[in-house]
Amino acid sequence: MKKVLLLSFFASQVLSAATCVPPHEYFPFEGKWVSKNDNGDVVLGMYSRVSPDGKYVLRSYSGKGLSQVTLMELVKGETNSVKPYETPLKNEAFPVQGTWRYLVDVDGDHYKITDILKRQKDAKKQFKGGISGFYTVAAELAGGTPKNHKIRSLSWPTDNSDNQGVGVLSNRVITASLDQNGIAEKIDSGSTNYMCKNLSSTDGQIMSLPMISLDGSEFASMPQNPRGSDPSMRIYKFGADNKSCEKRDDLKVMAAKVIFSRPELNSVLFYASGSMGSKGNGIYFFDRDVRKSFTLDDPERKVRADSYPGFTNDGRIVYGAYWEECGERGCVDKAGYVISDPYQSSDIKDFRAQNPEAGKKFKECITDEDVKANSEEQAKIWSYTL
């Protein structure tokens, strides 16, 4: 009996030592870099990608006074803030998901994030590789090392007039390596693989809006001419031949883009801008284990999401948004970025209360220790050492 009591005591001590992160953290974007659109709203960019540790947002179409693509640092302090870094990247440049070892321009040039932070627009490319073009995404495949890692790029093709969705999806797997000085090079160019011919009779071969999972094993896309069903965002697994596609999930929504969590969390994010009902702030996350969508909200601040979200590796959700900050002198409109803990959302809490067994998947919160461990792991990747 004493042993049981001691174990219970130590367990409670561990839980009390682990501090939950705030349900929502706010990072206002202010200062000389801020530009506004015709409606007077602060420009937060057309599309955002979130680093695995939640410290950076890669933002396309950044507004006046900044480069076309910027790297936004979310600076945590007594007063949270946002610090932009200009980049040589263009259009909808993209990170190599999973590790963020590289940021990639639409022409296939790969850059190290540390070089962009240090040299900004003067950062030098490491190598050129993978599929290039306006709508391309990439991820580092699992099991690699700094000295030998594989990157899969996935593209939604365009024609000579930049019209999108004019052909089948294609992907290419390249191999890269870092030397003792942290300089990267491409050591295998791979070959272009045209995809999903095996689904011609069911989902059709023409798909739009592809996004890739963090480990490069799956992708989300919307078939344009599915047989016997309405178009909807679906998740597929890459075949071993890099050409065939295996259908894994149908989200039953017409979301524009889907963002994956790390594989262990088995969730996806999408931005619907309130089009799925009055509940939530525009960010929705679908848990593939319990087969349910959940929302985020902070009614006190009247949060309105305004950019595509992203998962951190520890499970937090980061997104651009507008909100109110109220005090003795009234309320002030703010714009910037929000980091939310989905486990502390009302939706997840209600689900756990109503579904005790299924709700066991969701922990009570993400802790400071989770965030610290995730940040340390990411810092090792960004050291670019063997």
Side-chain angles (χ1 to χ4, degrees), residues 77-386:
E78 213 170 295
T79 302
N80 292 341
S81 61
V82 179
K83 180 180 179 180
Y85 295 83
E86 295 193 294
T87 79
L89 306 172
K90 302 176 292 296
N91 211 310
E92 282 199 5
F94 52 94
V96 174
Q97 299 280 29
T99 62
W100 266 55
R101 207 183 298 274
Y102 309 104
L103 303 180
V104 189
D105 208 347
V106 288
D107 61 2
D109 286 346
H110 286 60
Y111 294 82
K112 294 197 305 184
I113 191 170
T114 50
D115 286 351
I116 287 179
L117 292 173
K118 184 178 180 179
R119 299 181 177 90
Q120 300 198 50
K121 282 184 176 182
D122 294 327
K124 304 298 183 184
K125 73 173 183 180
Q126 298 291 298
F127 62 87
K128 182 186 288 284
I131 295 177
S132 60
F134 174 75
Y135 201 106
T136 305
V137 291
E140 188 169 319
L141 301 184
T145 65
K147 196 169 183 178
N148 190 306
H149 46 279
K150 296 183 182 298
I151 299 168
R152 188 200 302 274
S153 52
L154 170 67
S155 178
W156 181 25
T158 58
D159 61 16
N160 292 331
S161 300
D162 283 338
N163 295 312
Q164 295 177 320
V166 296
V168 300
L169 299 181
S170 60
N171 79 95
R172 179 190 291 259
V173 178
I174 66 171
T175 305
S177 176
L178 291 169
D179 68 14
Q180 294 292 339
N181 298 313
I183 304 300
E185 65 172 338
K186 179 183 63 178
I187 56 179
D188 185 355
S189 296
S191 57
T192 301
N193 302 291
Y194 296 97
M195 299 166 57
C196 302
K197 186 176 180 181
N198 63 304
L199 297 180
S200 295
S201 62
T202 54
D203 291 31
Q205 202 175 353
I206 307 300
M207 299 187 183
S208 64
L209 302 165
M211 288 296 289
I212 197 166
S213 66
L214 271 63
D215 63 356
S217 66
E218 296 183 311
F219 68 95
S221 194
M222 188 154 56
Q224 296 187 358
N225 298 294
R227 312 293 189 256
S229 63
D230 293 328
S232 59
M233 188 58 72
R234 302 171 191 190
I235 296 174
Y236 302 89
K237 182 179 179 180
F238 289 96
D241 60 358
N242 292 327
K243 298 177 182 178
S244 58
C245 304
E246 177 189 334
K247 185 176 173 182
R248 303 296 297 272
D249 264 320
D250 187 343
L251 304 185
K252 305 290 186 183
V253 297
M254 296 278 285
K257 293 182 180 77
V258 163
I259 294 90
F260 289 81
S261 69
R262 63 183 173 88
E264 299 93 313
L265 296 179
N266 208 27
S267 296
V268 294
L269 277 169
F270 51 94
Y271 169 60
S273 189
S275 60
M276 293 182 63
S278 58
K279 190 176 182 182
N281 61 19
I283 303 299
Y284 298 82
F285 53 105
F286 177 81
D287 187 274
R288 297 169 66 185
D289 293 323
V290 303
R291 313 298 305 166
K292 179 175 170 55
S293 289
F294 299 93
T295 63
L296 296 173
D297 209 354
D298 185 356
E300 288 187 6
R301 299 220 191 186
K302 299 180 181 177
V303 179
R304 175 170 60 89
D306 192 61
S307 80
Y308 288 96
F311 271 117
T312 64
N313 276 354
D314 51 57
R316 291 169 295 153
I317 296 174
V318 184
Y319 50 98
Y322 301 99
W323 66 87
E324 281 187 357
E325 288 190 5
C326 298
E328 293 180 358
R329 298 184 178 181
C331 297
V332 178
D333 292 332
K334 295 284 185 177
Y337 297 91
V338 184
I339 303 179
S340 295
D341 177 1
Y343 299 118
Q344 297 185 62
S345 68
S346 298
D347 260 8
I348 291 287
K349 288 179 179 178
D350 290 346
F351 181 83
R352 291 177 64 216
Q354 296 164 14
N355 304 273
E357 192 58 36
K360 288 179 180 177
K361 173 186 176 168
F362 304 116
K363 55 186 181 180
E364 290 187 10
C365 68
I366 295 166
T367 67
D368 288 337
E369 287 78 4
D370 295 331
V371 174
K372 182 173 183 287
N374 181 31
S375 297
E376 289 174 349
E377 182 180 352
Q378 188 59 39
K380 290 178 184 176
I381 294 172
W382 283 338
S383 70
Y384 297 99
T385 55
L386 299 180

